[in-house]
Amino acid sequence: MSGAPPAPAGRLALTGNKAAAEALHLARIQVLCFFPIGPSDEVGEELSRKIARGEHDARIIDLANERSVMNAQIVATQAGVRTCFATNSEGLLFAVQQLLFASYARIPIVITVAHRALEPPAIVRSDDMDTLMYRDIHWMHYHCENSQDVFDTVLQAYRVSEDHEVLLPAFVTYDGWEVSHNSYPVEFPDQGQVDRFLPPWKLPEGLDFLKVNFAEYYSTHHRMGGYGYVDVDREYMERRHQLDRALNVTAKAKVLKAHEDYTAIVGRGYGGLMEPYRTEDAEVVLLTMGSFSATSRLAVDMLRDEGKPVGLMKLRLFRPFPGAELIEALGGKKVVVTLDRNIIWALWSELRSAFFGEPAPPIILGRTAGIGGRDVTYYDIAQILEEGLSAAAGKKVDIQRWHFHVNKSRNSVPLPLV
């Protein structure tokens, strides 16, 4: 991009939820599918207010539960209408069959998720299990750090999902309460800039679900033959292969292109699939997602001031997982420490799988913290990085640990990781 970046059209202090609503407004959402669940409900509430004030032209579909709302979102999108929905946690569990249908039917819906831990016991604090438990159903998974990240990512998610070579649904996620209800400065472009970046959603040429004869489409004559579903059997595996390629090959390229175009039009970018911070000469790199990334930068800076060679890699997308790209970026490091906010060691297991079979891979340590909204300070992250430095120096360090204790200062004596 040549010349100075475009000037922002506005700057406000917005919560993560309100930033999402502002992005949905500029994306010209035509149908708001709504069922409330905290801490995501503010997205629909804020957009509803805009509709009620006459600031946004859209229809609200308010239904009895998340399953029904998801069905409405799917059908509206199949009709060529751009839709939105915000939910999390038990809301996603209630609509699990529709989540599977959306990806397998190649329907480009976008759901914003303010992470909330799963029951039991009842809790409204955050961890990211509510979307990561769906890591294998071919949805795209974006993880956002703050309100600005949420705003920019919502627009990019629609651009990638609706691309006719992708046609996949996407989660745009951020931490409940920490990001959903805290305010951050947000710069946003004008409507013209957004329209240049995000064209209206159109169905692929020749595909019009409003004209499909579903009685004929699902008839025995077309679907069955011999001892089973012969016509379907000839296509099913091929369609699943196309789905997998769309996510893990095509979508990666489209994410990078969308990021490049957004940066050129708006003047702000995050590195595409991932964003490095002080990694060039680092021996130990922390791999994070979401709001952990902001806290981790402070820890990296603190240890750098002490002369310690540490860095940070912020992962923007968990699906498609940028395994090859992470190998290239981290292959020469001594230690990589993954910091997960879930109980399935998602980052740790994915990174170890990516490096499997590579010559001289880094030591990969896994740390789990912040489950159910447990506080994580930059002193905690500094302690975790110090363990990575110990491993880099050849000392024995546990490969996996849970981090329960909250360190209040750099000089406090940390309790051991468990």
Side-chain angles (χ1 to χ4, degrees), residues 163-186:
D163 189 291
H164 289 178
E165 295 181 36
V166 178
L167 293 178
L168 289 174
F171 295 124
V172 176
T173 80
Y174 45 96
D175 289 334
W177 306 113
E178 286 96 329
V179 176
S180 67
H181 283 68
N182 279 333
S183 294
Y184 303 78
V186 178

Side-chain angles (χ1 to χ4, degrees), residues 213-225 228-235:
N213 183 338
F214 284 98
E216 180 76 8
Y217 182 76
Y218 287 112
S219 70
T220 302
H221 174 72
H222 277 80
R223 303 283 287 182
M224 296 191 69
Y229 292 85
V230 174
D231 293 338
V232 176
D233 183 62
R234 291 173 180 169
E235 298 180 4

Side-chain angles (χ1 to χ4, degrees), residues 370-410:
I371 301 299
R374 181 74 55 90
D375 285 343
V376 178
T377 70
Y378 57 90
Y379 302 115
D380 298 324
I381 295 175
Q383 178 193 350
I384 289 168
L385 282 168
E386 292 276 17
E387 286 221 328
L389 291 166
S390 295
K395 298 179 182 178
K396 182 176 175 56
V397 175
D398 288 343
I399 294 297
Q400 289 177 286
R401 284 191 178 182
W402 285 56
H403 187 100
F404 291 96
H405 181 62
V406 179
N407 290 313
K408 300 294 187 180
S409 73
R410 184 77 167 110

